[in-house]
Amino acid sequence: MKNLLVVINITLCILISGCKSTDPGSGFSKRIPSSYLGEKDSLNAAKINWREYFNNPILTDLIDTALNQNFDVLKSFQRIEASRAGVRASIGALLPTVSGFGSVAQRRYGLYTMDGAGNISTYINPDEIVPINLRDYYTGLQTSWEIDIWGKLRNRKKSAVARFFGSIEAKNLIVTNIIADVANHYYQLQALDNKLEILRENIKLQENALLIVQTQKEAGITNELAVKQLEGQVLNSKNLEKETLQEILETENRINFLLGRFPQSVRRDKDQYKDSLNFIVNVGAPADLLGNRPDIRQSEFQLKAAKADVKAAQAAFYPSLNLTGAYGYQAYKTGVLFRSPESIAYTIFGGLTAPLLNRSQIKAEFQNANAAQTEALYNYQQSVINGHIEVYNELAKLKRLQEIHDLRTRESQALSESVDISTELFKSGRANYLEVIISQQKSLDAQLLLVEARKRQNITKTNIYKALGGGWR
């Protein structure tokens, strides 16, 4: 026993010398800012349920359908089940394996051998000599067990558990993205509906102006050039109408794809789109991102898994202790196979194995695990910075877009009044047709830009909720 311990100690000294791990740290190496844009907020919109955050029954119904039918969400649940199976497998590796077995064999010893010379005159029972062609029937149970001395199997289990929780966070990330995508496409669809309505209203105004010019031409007040100019303006607006109808169709089908269904009309409320958009989003503290954003939480679990992988790879350098055994019945013929205790057979074996000649392969696997651990740390730090920047940008954009929306509203009102004024002046002959065309075109552009400003506000409201890590709860 003393000699065995000496051998083990010498072997460990040789092996440990080649397996030093690099510890990249366990947390975030940079100091996280205390606030966004210098504003401190104790509340956080990410903790609000998405049904309350969007507060639109039609939109929430669409999101509900997407969460139940979207293929990316459904696939993420299967990846969770695969990770769960990995956890069960790692737990099973810690336990002994027991299996039933049975074998049938026949042996013949050479007569001019030690076995043959000994068996030819040996009685297997009082009345029968060992036959030259000896059959062997064996049935019973066998077991094997690797005793986890150095924690290799336990660390593999920790890695599997961390990856299981990481797969849950991956599903949460998909859920957050799906909610944001459905909401943003819904807002885009509402914007296109309003754009189409504005175009059709302007087409009516342009057609009325064209009718006036045609009447004036017939009366000799104006010429063919004015008619063609206004006619071209009407055709251009009708062309925009057709393009908008195609955009509406494609946007509807993008929503249908997210909802996991074939093309069909998407229910929406275009009037609600014109409601006031003065809203404030509570963003909380930047440190809240560590617990709210699924991508950060996923990268954190991946880092934990990578650290456990390093420890498991490090333990591969050490000797492993394996116990094996078998218990059953063995005989040379079936008639006496289950005779007890004469036919009972068992074996017990304990073995200590240590890698010597293949250390380069084990060392390469250890270095690979070390590099993966460092990469996982960088991914974690990168996800934290990326999350902070996303919230920072969306918060700044939200404030700018409110100012832009207010200015676009005033611009649209002013230019809409200019259309009425130029039309009245044109009817009385105090303005020419070019002034009518220009005022109508500017008013149309202003109205479309106002719709675009509203859409950008809604999308930013969704994006900041997503950036904060909302939606998956």
Side-chain angles (χ1 to χ4, degrees):
M1 185 66 180
K2 186 180 293 185
N3 292 335
L4 178 62
L5 292 175
V6 171
V7 172
I8 292 174
N9 288 331
I10 293 173
T11 305
L12 287 177
C13 290
I14 295 173
L15 297 176
I16 292 172
S17 62
C19 57
K20 294 181 180 178
S21 63
T22 56
D23 183 8
S26 58
F28 192 69
S29 60
K30 303 178 185 296
R31 188 175 65 85
I32 300 176
S34 59
S35 64
Y36 303 102
L37 299 175
E39 299 180 3
K40 294 188 177 182
D41 195 348
S42 58
L43 302 176
N44 195 314
K47 297 180 180 179
I48 301 174
N49 185 277
W50 58 266
R51 288 182 176 84
E52 299 175 9
Y53 186 82
F54 291 105
N55 193 27
N56 182 329
I58 298 176
L59 176 56
T60 54
D61 285 345
L62 291 173
I63 293 174
D64 258 329
T65 303
L67 295 182
N68 289 319
Q69 299 181 180
N70 181 269
F71 290 107
D72 288 330
V73 175
L74 296 176
K75 287 188 289 185
S76 70
F77 281 109
Q78 298 310 307
R79 285 191 286 270
I80 290 174
E81 288 306 311
S83 297
R84 195 193 307 274
V87 174
R88 287 196 291 264
S90 65
I91 293 174
L94 287 164
L95 304 174
T97 61
V98 179
S99 56
F101 74 97
S103 65
V104 178
Q106 181 168 300
R107 291 174 289 180
R108 185 184 189 281
Y109 296 105
L111 296 179
Y112 304 111
T113 64
M114 182 180 295
D115 291 327
N119 291 332
I120 197 168
S121 60
T122 301
Y123 282 87
I124 199 166
N125 60 49
D127 301 322
E128 188 176 359
I129 296 175
V130 175
I132 294 176
N133 296 306
L134 179 64
R135 291 185 179 179
D136 185 12
Y137 298 95
Y138 198 174
T139 183
L141 301 174
Q142 59 185 9
T143 182
S144 63
W145 184 21
E146 180 180 354
I147 300 177
D148 193 27
I149 304 174
W150 316 110
K152 178 178 67 175
L153 300 179
R154 290 193 297 275
N155 279 298
R156 287 179 181 173
K157 174 191 168 184
K158 289 180 181 178
S159 175
V161 170
R163 285 190 166 84
F164 167 70
F165 286 114
S167 68
I168 294 176
E169 296 303 331
K171 183 269 296 181
N172 293 338
L173 179 60
I174 290 173
V175 168
T176 296
N177 289 335
I178 292 297
I179 291 173
D181 287 345
V182 172
N184 285 341
H185 282 101
Y186 179 81
Y187 293 139
Q188 184 176 355
L189 192 57
Q190 284 186 314
L192 289 170
D193 285 340
N194 280 267
K195 178 181 177 181
L196 182 63
E197 183 180 354
I198 291 169
L199 285 170
R200 286 174 172 171
E201 289 175 355
N202 276 270
I203 288 172
K204 290 179 182 179
L205 293 174
Q206 292 165 359
E207 286 177 337
N208 289 335
L210 175 62
L211 185 61
I212 293 172
V213 172
Q214 287 173 335
T215 303
Q216 289 182 340
K217 182 199 171 226
E218 291 173 0
I221 299 175
T222 186
N223 54 37
E224 183 69 13
L225 178 60
V227 175
K228 293 301 179 183
Q229 289 276 11
L230 283 169
E231 186 179 352
Q233 186 184 42
V234 172
L235 293 173
N236 179 67
S237 295
K238 288 184 176 181
N239 182 61
L240 291 175
E241 178 190 17
K242 301 300 180 186
E243 291 180 354
T244 303
L245 286 170
Q246 181 61 29
E247 287 186 66
I248 289 173
L249 177 67
E250 292 178 1
T251 304
E252 280 186 316
N253 283 334
R254 281 195 288 270
I255 293 176
N256 286 323
F257 178 76
L258 291 171
L259 270 58
R261 65 190 189 186
F262 288 102
Q264 57 185 272
S265 177
V266 175
R267 191 165 65 98
R268 67 266 194 186
D269 183 0
K270 66 180 180 181
D271 294 330
Q272 192 178 28
Y273 185 76
K274 297 178 181 179
D275 294 344
S276 175
L277 295 176
N278 293 319
F279 49 74
I280 298 174
V281 178
N282 301 109
V283 295
D288 294 340
L289 294 178
L290 304 182
N292 291 335
R293 278 186 63 122
D295 58 333
I296 295 178
R297 290 165 59 87
Q298 182 187 10
S299 61
E300 182 181 3
F301 283 119
Q302 288 172 343
L303 177 58
K304 291 180 179 178
K307 288 183 176 181
D309 287 340
V310 169
K311 292 179 180 179
Q314 189 174 17
F317 284 95
Y318 306 150
S320 59
L321 177 60
N322 292 275
L323 298 180
T324 59
Y327 180 89
Y329 294 93
Q330 185 177 24
Y332 72 102
K333 61 182 180 180
T334 57
V336 295
L337 179 59
F338 295 104
R339 183 177 294 175
S340 180
E342 290 86 353
S343 296
I344 291 177
Y346 64 87
T347 59
I348 299 176
F349 176 78
L352 192 66
T353 58
L356 294 176
L357 296 179
N358 63 336
R359 290 185 69 248
S360 59
Q361 178 184 352
I362 298 174
K363 192 171 184 179
E365 292 174 354
F366 174 74
Q367 290 171 342
N368 180 57
N370 243 339
Q373 177 185 217
T374 305
E375 181 184 2
L377 176 69
Y378 294 152
N379 285 337
Y380 174 70
Q381 294 179 345
Q382 184 181 40
S383 64
V384 174
I385 293 177
N386 177 64
H388 181 86
I389 290 176
E390 283 184 4
V391 175
Y392 192 97
N393 288 344
E394 296 299 330
L395 185 59
K397 186 189 296 184
L398 194 63
K399 295 181 178 181
R400 297 289 180 272
L401 285 175
Q402 184 61 55
E403 299 170 358
I404 291 172
H405 180 268
D406 293 341
L407 293 172
R408 291 293 185 199
T409 301
R410 292 165 57 189
E411 178 188 11
S412 178
Q413 291 172 349
L415 291 174
S416 179
E417 292 172 3
S418 75
V419 172
D420 296 334
I421 295 171
S422 64
T423 302
E424 292 299 321
L425 291 175
F426 178 69
K427 288 178 181 179
S428 61
R430 287 180 292 171
N432 59 44
Y433 70 92
L434 287 176
E435 291 174 301
V436 175
I437 292 174
I438 291 171
S439 61
Q440 286 181 344
Q441 188 61 49
K442 286 185 176 180
S443 176
L444 174 60
D445 291 342
Q447 291 178 71
L448 296 180
L449 288 172
L450 178 58
V451 170
E452 180 68 19
R454 288 196 187 109
K455 182 187 79 173
R456 291 178 65 192
Q457 274 187 300
N458 279 315
I459 289 177
T460 301
K461 178 186 176 182
T462 301
N463 288 344
I464 197 170
Y465 183 61
K466 172 185 170 183
L468 289 169
W472 58 270
R473 286 183 170 86

